Amino acid sequence: MAVWIQAQQLQGDALHQMQSLYGQHFPIEVRHYLSQWIEGQLWDAIDLENPQEEFKAKRLLDSLIQELQNKAEHQVGEDGFLLKIKLGHYATQLKSTYDRCPLELVRCIKHILYTEQRLVREATNSSSPVGGMMDSMSQKYQQINQAFEELRLLTQDTENDLRKLQHNQEYFIIQYQESLRIQAQLSSLATLPIADRQLREPALLNKRATVEAWLTREANTLQKYRLDLAEKHQKTLQLLRKQQTIILDDELIQWKRRQQLAGNGGPPEGGLDILQSWCEKLAETIWQNRQQIRRAEHLRQQLPIPGPIEELLNELSSTITDIISALVTSTFIIEKQPPQVLKTQTKFAATVRLLVGGKLNVHMNPPQVKATIISEQQAKALLKNENTRNDSSGEILNNNCVMEYHQTTGTLSAHFRNMSLKRIKRSDRRGAESVTEEKFTILFESQFSVGGNELVFQVKVRWRRLKRFKGKIIIAGRQRLYLALCNISPTNTTHCHLIFCNGFAVFVVLPSFFEQTLSLPVVVIVHGSQDNNATATVLWDNAFAEPGRVPFLVPDKVVWPQLCDAINMKYKAEVQSNRGLSEENLVFLAQKAFSSSSNNPDDYRNMTMTWSQFNRESLPGRNFTFWQWFDGVMELTKKHLKPHWNDGAILGFVNKQQAQDMLMSKPNGTFLLRFSDSEIGGITIAWVAENPNKAGERMVWNLMPYTTKDFSIRSLADRISDLNHLLFLYPDRPKDEVFSKYYTPPLSKAVDGYVKPQIKQVVPEFTTATPDPASGNPTYMGSRRLPSPRQSSSHLRHIPTYE
């Protein structure tokens, strides 16, 4: 309920934006009276793109209706009677609206809650008393909003001027008609007797002179009005271009960069609804100015006055069309990227969205989007405008989808829910490059008209100018004329009608935008064993790609701190932990990566790591690369060790010699957990104890590493519990204090008379060791001394439990 309480305190434009979220699709009264219930539901837990989630959405819809009905039943008194009727009506209305599409209700409420939170957050930031300063993001948003307000005022000003011009022109035409009437009267005097003509002619001549003088002055005034209006439109379009550049070339590019980093585990990109609201404001302002320019052109055609205005209006029309084209083509984006490691014969999903679809009435004729997989080389050719439209590098099933308009959120998007890559065609590889380094991309294509086919151009050209095109009039003629006279790329022209009339060829052009957008690079695999190396390719690309690059170039080497940021981000995301890699952990990784023994972090700040060092060349003395080892650590931690990592119980990134130095200064029975150097995805226990072969000597022991297979049999906490010789987790924490909450509870007594076996872990060299309560050190029963290798193996025994 906290969000709703704060939302009610909003003022000005923020309050207006909040109120505009509600309507018949979701009344504001429902939000008010059920605020606590609404904010208490797990709306984000429902995946809107998964049809199987519809059952959860239906349960929420039913619960919402039940809550409304309960609220209505408890209303008493005269005012309560009216509210009871209203709430009951809303319950019926919501059921009829969303009963067949409950996921739309979830989409609607998620949009409302997100927008309310954003508005409250922005209002809080703007009124924060901390030094009276706003963060840079809020300042940027304020500047963008101020520019929109300036554009609104400029557009309103030109609208007023246009109306004034129209009024003056209409009066001018009336006076012009009056001058024609006077001229007709003067001409008719020739049929009158001389006396009558001499009597009436002077008055008419004086009147004609007066009207013509006024027309001359007014024509100059109208021309000045037209020029002033054109200059104002030029100023508006300059500001529009600047604002569009900020939103599309700065904010949208940054959003795409955040989306790319999110693929490495970075924070969610967010902010797309804000970007859409800005793009929609741009679309509205552009369209209003375009309509004004068209009206100004109509006024000019209605009353031609010699002067430069025709050229100016043509230039304005060309500019505004170019701005519309840039806006539409740049706002066709991928809202949800396909998986970047893509396995053949496996279902995957993606979502594309047109940020201005609702405002430009694209949804009036819902366009279809097609998905195609293309290679890196084909992507390069595509960006060079080379003809690759019929080329693909594979076959995707269920790759066509119609864009849907969601009234509640105002979004136009296509949700591909069941795509599958049936086959892939690979290119020839050279050198050390493997299939897991080959990059592809999903090309999304669509074709749609803008403004409900309102964006129409009529191009009139003399027939003799078309003769040079000969048999290519329908293709080359259209495109060349369109380029020359409308200043739009010919690839955006799909509907063009050619009419011949009185020696002229008239082109009626209906621009239909052909949109394309590329996904982030994907690596195609055919077996799960390739996932590790494919993930490395994706990680490197996401982390180090530069904006505007040629697909899909990335640097071959990066400085070590950059790589540290990337792998730390990935580690925290995979393990789903707020505990990332410490500076000591990163020093350990640097020692492993560069085969160094330095413990000084500064020694690595200027060192560079190449892609080959990262995931081509094996580590010295090993049969795996740096990334393969690190990825194994992430997988093991994610699947089996996450709670212990979050508790700080696992040091992990410590080598054998460091572990020995740390433990030798601690009491016997002190142990630590470190990741294995010799095995991918392994963790070992190192502990200090007496040397059974030499009295008075202490040594550090290391268990054979545990892997995912071991922990699928018995958990780490239970294994530590089994080993009585392990007493204190480094540096001095009793092991039960750290691990007891993760121990498996004892087996309950059997009711069928059978003995239940239990699995216990033992270390042969320490099976008779029991802790000495007085000394805190283990004592050994029996006189037989066993060999004391530095690395011990452990065994699991079935120990029967008797009732």
Side-chain angles (χ1 to χ4, degrees):
M1 191 170 177
V3 176
W4 181 242
I5 291 175
Q6 292 176 307
Q8 293 176 79
Q9 310 303 317
L10 295 172
Q11 298 178 355
D13 184 58
L15 178 61
H16 177 72
Q17 290 184 52
M18 188 270 286
Q19 292 172 334
S20 66
L21 295 172
Y22 300 96
Q24 289 186 349
H25 62 280
F26 198 81
I28 195 170
E29 291 88 348
V30 177
R31 176 69 174 102
H32 180 74
Y33 288 105
L34 297 187
S35 57
Q36 188 171 1
W37 183 88
I38 289 172
E39 293 180 28
Q41 306 309 305
L42 300 177
W43 304 103
D44 287 334
I46 297 180
D47 183 3
L48 296 173
E49 298 176 11
N50 184 358
Q52 297 178 356
E53 299 276 76
E54 189 168 309
F55 177 71
K56 295 181 183 179
K58 183 65 165 62
R59 284 194 304 177
L60 280 172
L61 171 62
D62 293 340
S63 299
L64 173 66
I65 293 171
Q66 186 61 50
E67 289 289 326
L68 267 178
Q69 291 171 343
N70 293 341
K71 194 76 174 178
E73 290 174 2
H74 289 83
Q75 302 304 315
V76 295
E78 183 177 347
D79 293 338
F81 174 75
L82 296 175
L83 182 58
K84 179 178 182 178
I85 295 176
K86 183 178 287 188
L87 293 179
H89 170 71
Y90 289 150
T92 304
Q93 176 183 315
L94 290 173
K95 182 173 179 60
S96 63
T97 302
Y98 296 110
D99 198 46
R100 294 185 178 180
C101 51
L103 285 173
E104 284 303 304
L105 172 71
V106 178
R107 188 189 305 277
C108 170
I109 295 180
K110 287 175 71 171
H111 173 69
I112 286 172
L113 292 176
Y114 174 82
T115 307
E116 284 181 353
Q117 291 168 358
R118 174 179 62 81
L119 292 171
V120 168
R121 184 169 58 251
E122 290 176 356
T124 303
N125 289 340
S126 63
S127 60
S128 174
V130 183
M133 296 178 62
M134 296 183 297
D135 58 24
S136 58
M137 189 68 73
S138 297
Q139 290 179 0
K140 187 183 298 182
Y141 288 0
Q142 187 180 42
Q143 291 171 357
I144 290 174
N145 289 331
Q146 287 174 348
F148 273 124
E149 178 62 17
E150 185 178 352
L151 281 167
R152 187 188 69 80
L153 294 175
L154 286 172
T155 303
Q156 184 61 52
D157 186 35
T158 49
E159 176 66 26
N160 294 335
D161 286 356
L162 187 59
R163 290 175 182 173
K164 182 179 178 181
L165 174 62
Q166 183 176 355
H167 175 77
N168 289 349
Q169 181 166 311
E170 289 172 351
Y171 187 70
F172 180 92
I173 292 174
I174 291 173
Q175 295 302 312
Y176 179 73
Q177 294 296 328
E178 176 65 15
S179 72
L180 294 179
R181 189 180 65 82
I182 294 171
Q183 183 61 43
Q185 289 177 346
L186 284 172
S187 300
S188 67
L189 292 180
T191 62
L192 296 178
I194 295 178
D196 291 341
R197 186 170 62 225
Q198 290 177 346
L199 180 65
R200 298 176 59 183
E201 189 174 44
L204 288 173
L205 289 173
N206 288 335
K207 190 174 183 180
R208 184 181 68 176
T210 301
V211 172
E212 288 182 348
W214 183 90
L215 288 174
T216 302
R217 292 195 308 271
E218 191 62 18
N220 293 331
T221 302
L222 286 175
Q223 186 74 316
K224 183 178 184 304
Y225 282 169
R226 290 176 177 180
L227 291 173
D228 290 346
L229 180 61
E231 290 175 359
K232 286 185 177 182
H233 274 128
Q234 285 179 327
K235 180 180 178 181
T236 303
L237 297 191
Q238 288 175 358
L239 184 57
L240 264 174
R241 276 192 182 278
K242 180 180 178 182
Q243 181 81 329
Q244 185 160 295
T245 299
I246 292 172
I247 292 172
L248 300 183
D249 295 349
D250 295 343
E251 297 300 315
L252 186 56
I253 294 300
Q254 289 179 24
W255 179 87
K256 290 181 178 180
R257 178 57 181 156
R258 292 196 301 271
Q259 185 186 54
Q260 190 172 26
L261 291 176
N264 276 4
E269 57 271 24
L272 190 56
D273 288 338
I274 297 175
L275 277 169
Q276 174 160 324
S277 68
W278 288 342
C279 292
E280 287 178 340
K281 286 182 180 179
L282 276 174
E284 288 178 341
T285 306
I286 292 169
W287 203 254
Q288 289 169 3
N289 279 273
R290 180 184 172 276
Q291 297 296 82
Q292 290 180 10
I293 293 170
R294 289 185 65 191
R295 285 159 57 195
E297 173 64 22
H298 177 72
L299 290 176
R300 186 200 65 80
Q301 292 173 353
Q302 190 180 43
L303 181 63
I305 300 176
I309 190 63
E310 181 177 1
E311 184 179 346
L312 281 174
L313 286 175
N314 288 338
E315 181 182 342
L316 289 172
S317 181
S318 174
T319 300
I320 198 74
T321 303
D322 185 46
I323 292 175
I324 292 176
S325 177
L327 178 65
V328 175
T329 55
S330 299
T331 54
F332 184 60
I333 63 166
I334 302 174
E335 181 179 359
K336 179 182 177 182
Q337 291 282 342
Q340 289 187 261
V341 177
L342 193 57
K343 187 178 178 183
T344 55
Q345 310 297 332
T346 302
K347 187 171 71 172
F348 67 97
T351 301
V352 295
R353 180 166 163 182
L354 182 63
L355 298 181
V356 295
K359 293 299 178 182
L360 294 181
N361 294 328
V362 175
H363 62 285
M364 301 298 290
N365 184 20
Q368 189 174 75
V369 184
K370 179 182 178 182
T372 311
I373 189 165
I374 62 175
S375 68
E376 182 174 342
Q377 292 302 321
Q378 289 167 337
K380 290 178 182 177
L382 186 71
L383 294 186
K384 292 178 182 178
N385 290 324
E386 297 177 4
N387 185 19
T388 61
R389 290 186 53 187
N390 295 323
D391 295 336
S392 69
S393 292
E395 181 182 353
I396 299 178
L397 303 179
N398 302 317
N399 66 330
N400 287 283
C401 184
V402 176
M403 298 193 86
E404 300 176 2
Y405 183 70
H406 304 281
Q407 186 71 39
T408 53
T409 58
T411 58
L412 181 70
S413 55
H415 302 279
F416 294 85
R417 296 183 174 90
N418 297 296
M419 287 192 291
S420 176
L421 182 60
K422 183 178 180 181
R423 62 177 181 83
I424 190 67
K425 181 172 66 177
R426 299 190 183 275
S427 59
D428 295 332
R429 294 177 299 280
R430 299 179 180 179
E433 183 179 322
S434 67
V435 294
T436 56
E437 294 181 33
E438 186 177 7
K439 299 173 189 176
F440 297 87
T441 181
I442 308 295
L443 168 66
F444 293 93
E445 300 174 288
S446 185
Q447 202 166 327
F448 44 82
S449 58
V450 168
N453 283 340
E454 185 184 346
L455 195 61
V456 177
F457 301 94
Q458 290 191 356
V459 184
K460 189 175 181 181
V461 185
R462 287 193 178 277
W463 166 244
R464 63 173 179 269
R465 288 183 56 188
L466 296 176
K467 288 184 177 179
R468 65 178 181 274
F469 295 122
K470 296 182 180 179
K472 297 182 179 180
I473 291 177
I474 301 302
I475 300 176
R478 286 181 187 174
Q479 293 184 352
R480 293 185 190 179
L481 286 172
Y482 195 42
L483 260 180
L485 301 173
C486 299
N487 194 27
I488 292 185
S489 170
T491 59
N492 289 340
T493 307
T494 57
H495 304 294
C496 186
H497 306 284
L498 182 61
I499 303 171
F500 299 99
C501 181
N502 298 328
F504 288 89
V506 179
F507 286 82
V508 180
V509 186
L510 304 176
S512 180
F513 293 90
F514 183 71
E515 299 303 332
Q516 298 175 322
T517 187
L518 297 175
S519 75
L520 294 174
V522 300
V523 178
V524 178
I525 63 174
V526 297
H527 192 275
S529 61
Q530 298 173 316
D531 184 81
N532 176 288
N533 294 323
T535 302
T537 301
V538 168
L539 174 80
W540 191 277
D541 191 280
N542 286 345
F544 310 122
E546 297 180 357
R549 63 171 173 172
V550 174
F552 289 107
L553 295 181
V554 286
D556 183 62
K557 62 181 179 180
V558 295
V559 293
W560 175 249
Q562 282 183 291
L563 185 60
C564 287
D565 290 342
I567 60 177
N568 184 41
M569 179 186 293
K570 185 70 174 177
Y571 187 85
K572 290 168 68 176
E574 288 293 314
V575 180
Q576 296 180 348
S577 171
N578 291 326
R579 182 191 170 202
L581 302 176
S582 66
E583 187 169 278
E584 292 77 11
N585 298 153
L586 295 173
V587 167
F588 168 84
L589 292 173
Q591 292 172 340
K592 180 176 288 290
F594 300 114
S595 301
S596 171
S597 60
S598 173
N599 291 319
N600 186 359
D602 293 334
D603 292 344
Y604 303 105
R605 298 200 188 283
N606 295 321
M607 295 185 70
T608 59
M609 191 169 190
T610 65
W611 165 250
S612 293
Q613 290 173 299
F614 183 68
N615 198 44
R616 271 188 187 167
E617 302 167 1
S618 296
L619 293 170
R622 307 296 183 195
N623 61 352
F624 47 79
T625 66
F626 172 84
W627 165 254
Q628 289 168 346
W629 180 89
F630 183 78
D631 186 58
V633 166
M634 284 196 303
E635 281 295 303
L636 181 70
T637 308
K638 175 176 68 174
K639 292 180 178 178
H640 301 287
L641 308 178
K642 181 166 63 175
H644 308 304
W645 174 263
N646 290 337
D647 291 345
I650 298 175
L651 289 179
F653 300 97
V654 179
N655 62 41
K656 185 178 289 187
Q657 184 59 50
Q658 288 172 329
Q660 181 167 331
D661 295 341
M662 294 165 68
L663 290 171
M664 286 302 291
S665 62
K666 299 299 178 181
N668 288 345
T670 303
F671 67 99
L672 59 79
L673 298 160
R674 68 177 186 85
F675 297 122
S676 170
D677 281 317
S678 59
E679 187 164 352
I680 294 178
I683 190 169
T684 185
I685 301 176
W687 75 95
V688 61
E690 295 289 339
N691 186 346
N693 290 328
K694 190 171 183 180
E697 182 179 283
R698 302 166 70 237
M699 61 183 295
V700 172
W701 299 71
N702 293 274
L703 274 184
M704 290 286 288
Y706 300 125
T707 63
T708 291
K709 182 179 179 181
D710 299 308
F711 291 135
S712 64
I713 300 172
R714 190 155 175 79
S715 70
L716 174 65
D718 287 340
R719 289 173 182 272
I720 290 173
S721 175
D722 294 341
L723 301 178
N724 292 329
H725 58 276
L726 302 182
L727 303 177
F728 305 103
L729 178 67
Y730 183 88
D732 55 8
R733 300 169 66 188
K735 73 173 183 182
D736 288 342
E737 178 186 298
V738 180
F739 296 100
S740 61
K741 59 184 175 182
Y742 303 112
Y743 294 163
T744 301
L747 292 173
S748 60
K749 292 185 178 181
V751 294
D752 53 7
Y754 285 99
V755 175
K756 291 185 176 180
Q758 275 187 330
I759 295 178
K760 292 284 186 180
Q761 178 182 240
V762 295
V763 178
E765 290 88 340
F766 292 87
T767 53
T768 59
T770 57
D772 182 357
S775 64
N777 294 331
T779 59
Y780 296 88
M781 300 176 63
S783 59
R784 187 169 65 92
R785 295 290 185 179
L786 299 174
S788 56
R790 290 299 182 97
Q791 182 162 290
S792 297
S793 60
S794 61
H795 302 278
L796 291 176
R797 292 180 178 174
H798 288 278
I799 302 177
T801 300
Y802 297 93
E803 299 180 15

